[in-house]
Amino acid sequence: MDTNKIIADIKARKLVPVYLLHGEESYAIDLVSDCVETHVLEEAQKGFDQTVLYGKDTDFATIVSAARRYPMMSDYQVIIIKEAQNLKWKEDELLVAYLENPMKSTVLVLAYKHGKFDKRRKVYKVAEKAGVVLESPKLYDDKVAPWINSYVTTRGWRIHPQAAAMVAEYLGTDLSKVVNELDKLMLNVPKEQEIAVQDIERNIGISKDFNVFELTTALAKRDVVKAFRIVDYFAANPRSNPMPVVLGAMGSYFTKVLKYHYLPDKSPQALSRELGVHPFFTREYDIAARSYNRRKTFDIMSHLREYDLKSKGLNAVNLEQGDLLKELVYKILY
């Protein structure tokens, strides 16, 4: 089911006996779990009718025993099992039996994080019949910027594509972390004003001039002076620009350049769709592809793998990461 629909139903008190929330991305799981914890009972009722347990500290006998109780001070009893992946799921017979005939006055939330629930298990099928099952898959790198744009837009703000790309590049796929930073941004940028690159620099601390996004742009244009100026900045600020983040972003970028070379339709609309980038950026991939032909792009991918290994200590003893990055950029440009 759609996360927004589930949350809307909970707030409208259209409740079901069980919510099985699972997946690699924790954000949606926490969102639904927190909504149940916040909206089903009033504060005065929670001391009597709300129980929060952790998977590693409980078992199915305890959970089912609690679930079979009647509420004392409200129409519902809420039981939330956090970190449910730590339960001994091979011993879930009691839970299966309960879910086949659950208490209508109990709302049971199973927050199963950091992986998909085994859909072959009987408990999964029973949970689907008894209530709501939500799978929260991990977001791929190229989907983060569109997700950021959607999140900001649904809250009434606007964000420039380059600003969204910067946030995605530096914060990665951890949506809880992304949302935390976006919420801070929206507190500091007026609603009628588009969130710009300068706002990212002021509020998140990512330099608008010295970041991976600007480095790949400089490389695309073969702007040697700017590329090495950025690399020098990275070398001087390694904690703000860790090698794995820089190499990961460069790898993603040149993978798209390579893909560009093999696309029959190079119109902005097709490039946006196939490369998973905002149409605003397609022109840059035209430039990068002219700067680096197929063979050179393959060589760059090989260099990136080589320097990833060197950054981990293979055949690069006592070399600073800044020096490795300078070598890599030199090989890309020349």
Side-chain angles (χ1 to χ4, degrees):
M1 286 187 69
D2 175 72
T3 306
N4 292 330
K5 174 67 165 61
I6 295 171
I7 289 173
D9 285 348
I10 292 169
K11 290 180 178 179
R13 300 189 70 77
K14 297 177 182 177
L15 303 168
V16 295
V18 62
Y19 294 86
L20 174 56
L21 316 171
H22 72 108
E24 297 171 290
E25 172 52 59
S26 298
Y27 174 69
I29 295 172
D30 289 336
L31 208 61
V32 175
S33 179
D34 291 347
C35 184
V36 171
E37 191 169 354
T38 304
H39 289 92
V40 175
L41 300 178
E42 296 177 5
E43 284 300 321
Q45 298 168 334
K46 290 179 181 178
F48 298 94
D49 292 326
Q50 183 162 287
T51 303
V52 178
L53 301 170
Y54 287 83
K56 67 178 181 179
D57 299 323
T58 191
D59 54 36
F60 290 110
T62 302
I63 294 168
V64 170
S65 176
R68 292 196 184 280
R69 293 198 301 260
Y70 286 95
M72 297 175 62
M73 302 291 290
S74 68
D75 296 331
Y76 292 98
Q77 179 194 198
V78 173
I79 300 172
I80 299 172
I81 312 301
K82 298 188 176 184
E83 306 291 343
Q85 71 276 6
N86 294 322
L87 285 163
K88 295 179 180 177
W89 286 96
K90 291 183 179 179
E91 303 169 9
D92 64 4
E93 297 88 354
L94 284 172
L95 181 62
V96 170
Y98 169 76
L99 292 179
E100 288 177 332
N101 186 28
M103 296 283 287
K104 301 300 182 185
S105 57
T106 292
V107 177
L108 173 62
V109 179
L110 298 162
Y112 186 106
K113 293 184 175 181
H114 312 307
K116 295 180 181 180
F117 197 91
D118 188 347
K119 297 178 183 180
R120 298 168 297 179
R121 298 191 66 84
K122 185 177 180 180
V123 67
Y124 182 91
K125 297 176 175 62
V126 175
E128 277 189 311
K129 291 181 181 178
V132 163
V133 173
L134 172 69
E135 182 178 342
S136 179
K138 187 176 180 64
L139 208 61
Y140 290 106
D141 291 340
D142 62 345
K143 303 298 182 187
V144 178
W147 190 93
I148 288 170
N149 184 68
S150 175
Y151 181 85
V152 170
T153 301
T154 56
R155 280 150 184 79
W157 272 261
R158 293 173 297 118
I159 186 168
H160 190 277
Q162 191 171 355
M166 280 181 63
V167 174
E169 206 73 75
Y170 268 83
L171 298 183
T173 58
D174 184 342
L175 295 187
S176 297
K177 185 177 179 181
V178 171
V179 165
N180 184 53
E181 296 297 339
L182 291 177
D183 288 346
K184 286 195 293 186
L185 265 175
M186 289 184 284
L187 284 173
N188 289 287
V189 178
K191 213 167 192 177
E192 64 276 6
Q193 177 182 318
E194 182 181 61
I195 297 171
V197 169
Q198 291 81 358
D199 298 309
I200 305 300
E201 182 176 28
R202 280 195 296 267
N203 295 285
I204 299 182
I206 303 169
S207 170
K208 67 180 176 65
D209 296 315
F210 300 102
N211 58 71
V212 176
F213 186 81
E214 290 297 321
L215 175 59
T216 54
T217 300
L219 292 174
K221 296 177 180 178
R222 301 189 79 93
D223 186 337
V224 176
V225 173
K226 185 174 182 179
F228 278 104
R229 188 184 300 136
I230 294 170
V231 169
D232 284 339
Y233 179 84
F234 286 178
N237 299 273
R239 289 188 178 181
S240 302
N241 305 276
M243 191 78 163
V245 172
V246 176
L247 289 177
M250 292 173 70
S252 176
Y253 185 84
F254 281 102
T255 297
K256 291 185 177 73
V257 174
L258 188 60
K259 189 174 182 179
Y260 175 102
H261 282 298
Y262 289 91
L263 290 175
D265 183 357
K266 292 181 172 60
S267 66
Q269 296 79 10
L271 289 175
S272 176
R273 182 178 63 253
E274 296 297 331
L275 300 182
V277 300
H278 192 280
F280 178 85
F281 299 107
T282 56
R283 174 65 178 156
E284 184 176 312
Y285 286 94
D286 291 328
I287 296 169
R290 286 197 296 272
S291 297
Y292 307 101
N293 60 27
R294 290 185 189 182
R295 182 169 181 176
K296 178 61 176 176
T297 308
F298 273 115
D299 289 342
I300 290 170
M301 298 302 293
S302 179
H303 294 325
L304 288 168
R305 286 192 293 271
E306 175 191 354
Y307 280 84
D308 178 54
L309 292 173
K310 283 186 174 183
S311 72
K312 295 168 183 172
L314 188 67
N315 299 324
V317 180
N318 296 326
L319 277 177
E320 295 290 334
Q321 291 200 348
D323 294 329
L324 290 174
L325 195 53
K326 290 174 186 177
E327 284 185 15
L328 171 61
V329 168
Y330 181 87
K331 287 187 177 182
I332 290 172
L333 290 168
Y334 299 103

